[in-house]
Amino acid sequence: MIPFVDLKANYLSIKEEIDNAIQFVINNSDFIMGESVSLFENNFAKYCGGKHCVAVSNGTSALEIALKAHGISHGDEVICPVNTYIATAEAIINVGAVVKFVDIDEKTYNIDPSKIVISESTKAIIPVHLYGQTVDMDPIIKIAQENDLIIIEDCAQAHGVMYKGKKVPIYGTGCFSFYPSKNLGAFGDAGAIVTDNEDVAREAKLIRNHGFSKNKHRHEIIGTNNRMDSIQAAVLSVKLKHLDKWNDMRIRNAKLYLKLLNMRNSISKHVYHLFVIRSKNRDKLVDYLTQKGVQTGIHYPFPLHKQEALARHTIEIYPVAEMLSKEILSLPMYPELSKEDIKYVCDLIKEFNNSQI
């Protein structure tokens, strides 16, 4: 069996470091918003090249809190791609804003800047750096600057990726998920907001922790309970030291996939959270690979406007996203994936394709 992702192999590669970090938290009994959280915030802000990091409970909360901290509220229109995880749209709707979907670029699967339409109600854009690659940010930034819009980057799948020499977030505020399968993954749910805006960072810290900063019995605003626990922070600080190495291993694996499958990569910078191919016979290929012991994934089988929970939020159609949703397939991808396993997967795909001729 070749798993889609192997979290145990990742843990075993740094087991002693992880165990010691967790034991440190246990010994100190400093479980919520403790020393380990502050240390991770400092480490991750420095890694991203940002001034501030606000550690939170998960990636969805990071998006919601960032939107609130930027003043987005009822009636404000926020643009996001239609091909992304539902959390991006959930965050917009949960702060009372109006989600405005945009179709995607066929080559990158990211938001297509040429299809962005601004209205009088538009207040922000959430570009999603999907699958480990960056959105083409220059046109997004230009649109935002010309229309006085806020940019909040969804970096949930793009830890450590660079755009023109800068790590994400490229412009403004970035939101990260540390779900266990991410390139930088916790041992449970966790997330973070990285920003250069001191006011946004301060507001985000208030929101995540019941609206107080220094005195826990004095609440400045109505907030939420979205704190990161210290064990997750300790795990993340250990893993952060290995992230660039693991990303390089993912890139190495992707290059082998590309070579063996005779695919071209038009993306100059990519950290391959996912390795996604297209197949006209996608569902049959999934069945074939499954029978041969290869796990796969589909990210995502339904564009957001086709989700029952979101159907009422748009009446438009998004032809590129709808077409790709029937073709895209994510192959096994993780740092410890062996060359032999990649070759086996590629041989199976070739066998399948030949059988369809």
Side-chain angles (χ1 to χ4, degrees):
M1 170 69 72
I2 299 178
F4 182 66
V5 62
D6 191 341
L7 299 181
K8 186 174 182 180
N10 184 259
Y11 162 63
L12 292 175
S13 71
I14 53 169
K15 181 178 185 301
E16 185 175 355
E17 292 179 78
I18 290 289
D19 291 353
N20 288 340
I22 293 174
Q23 192 62 54
F24 176 82
V25 175
I26 294 172
N27 290 344
N28 285 355
S29 298
D30 190 14
F31 297 114
I32 300 291
M33 295 295 295
E35 178 183 347
S36 295
V37 174
S38 297
L39 178 62
F40 173 70
E41 287 178 326
N42 291 333
N43 289 341
F44 195 61
K46 183 178 179 180
Y47 176 82
C48 294
K51 292 181 180 178
H52 307 280
C53 173
V54 182
V56 296
S57 55
N58 57 69
T60 308
S61 294
L63 288 166
E64 288 187 24
I65 291 170
L67 286 163
K68 289 179 180 178
H70 274 284
I72 302 299
S73 62
H74 291 274
D76 293 338
E77 184 180 85
V78 180
I79 291 169
C80 80
V82 75
N83 180 44
T84 181
Y85 188 55
I86 194 171
T88 313
E90 274 181 331
I92 296 168
I93 294 166
N94 284 343
V95 301
V98 177
V99 63
K100 176 65 176 179
F101 294 126
V102 176
D103 209 352
I104 57 174
D105 180 89
E106 185 175 351
K107 292 182 179 179
T108 67
Y109 315 132
N110 277 327
I111 190 170
D112 186 341
S114 69
K115 296 176 181 175
I116 291 176
V117 178
I118 306 299
S119 75
E120 291 184 358
S121 300
T122 307
K123 294 295 187 294
I125 303 174
I126 302 183
V128 180
H129 302 300
L130 200 66
Y131 303 156
Q133 63 188 321
T134 59
V135 173
D136 185 9
M137 287 297 294
D138 282 351
I140 299 289
I141 293 169
K142 185 174 185 292
I143 291 169
Q145 290 176 337
E146 290 176 348
N147 295 277
D148 194 24
L149 304 179
I150 295 162
I151 294 178
I152 298 174
E153 298 171 46
D154 187 333
C155 308
Q157 298 183 6
H159 310 77
V161 71
M162 301 181 76
Y163 178 83
K164 297 187 176 181
K166 188 183 186 308
K167 287 192 177 82
V168 296
I170 309 303
Y171 182 92
T173 298
C175 297
F176 293 82
S177 166
F178 303 119
Y179 187 78
S181 61
K182 304 296 187 183
N183 291 34
L184 180 63
F187 280 8
D189 274 322
I193 302 163
V194 174
T195 184
D196 287 340
N197 188 314
E198 186 174 350
D199 292 334
V200 168
R202 181 185 182 278
E203 191 73 7
K205 288 178 179 179
L206 286 173
I207 294 169
R208 74 172 172 187
N209 197 13
H210 298 293
F212 71 78
S213 55
K214 295 180 180 179
N215 186 337
K216 68 178 182 179
H217 299 295
R218 300 289 293 180
H219 305 270
E220 299 179 33
I221 62 171
I222 297 296
T224 63
N225 181 5
N226 280 292
R227 303 168 296 202
M228 180 185 286
D229 74 68
S230 299
I231 286 179
Q232 304 309 333
V235 168
L236 289 168
S237 283
V238 170
K239 286 189 164 190
L240 183 59
K241 294 183 291 185
H242 300 273
L243 178 57
D244 287 341
K245 175 186 69 177
W246 289 337
N247 281 345
D248 287 343
M249 294 168 71
R250 287 174 179 270
I251 292 168
R252 176 204 66 194
N253 292 341
K255 286 181 176 178
L256 184 56
Y257 267 131
L258 291 166
K259 178 182 177 181
L260 294 176
L261 294 175
N262 194 28
M263 294 171 60
R264 289 186 178 182
N265 179 20
S266 60
I267 309 302
S268 58
K269 295 295 182 181
H270 203 315
V271 292
Y272 291 99
H273 170 60
L274 298 171
F275 186 87
V276 181
I277 65 171
R278 291 170 61 179
S279 173
K280 296 291 185 182
N281 297 300
R282 193 266 311 280
D283 294 342
K284 290 182 179 179
L285 176 56
V286 169
D287 291 341
Y288 184 77
L289 292 174
T290 301
Q291 292 169 12
K292 299 294 184 178
V294 177
Q295 292 182 346
T296 59
I298 301 174
H299 301 83
Y300 298 96
F302 304 102
L304 292 186
H305 70 295
K306 291 291 187 180
Q307 296 286 353
E308 182 179 354
L310 296 170
R312 68 182 179 87
H313 292 275
T314 184
I315 59 172
E316 298 180 34
I317 59 173
Y318 307 90
V320 178
E322 290 189 23
M323 174 186 66
L324 292 178
S325 69
K326 299 177 177 64
E327 299 179 3
I328 50 178
L329 177 64
S330 302
L331 301 180
M333 172 55 74
Y334 48 93
E336 300 80 13
L337 186 63
S338 70
K339 293 181 180 179
E340 293 74 21
D341 285 347
I342 293 172
K343 186 177 185 302
Y344 176 68
V345 173
C346 292
D347 285 344
L348 290 176
I349 293 172
K350 292 175 183 177
E351 288 176 9
F352 173 83
N353 288 339
N354 290 334
S355 71
Q356 301 301 301
I357 297 175

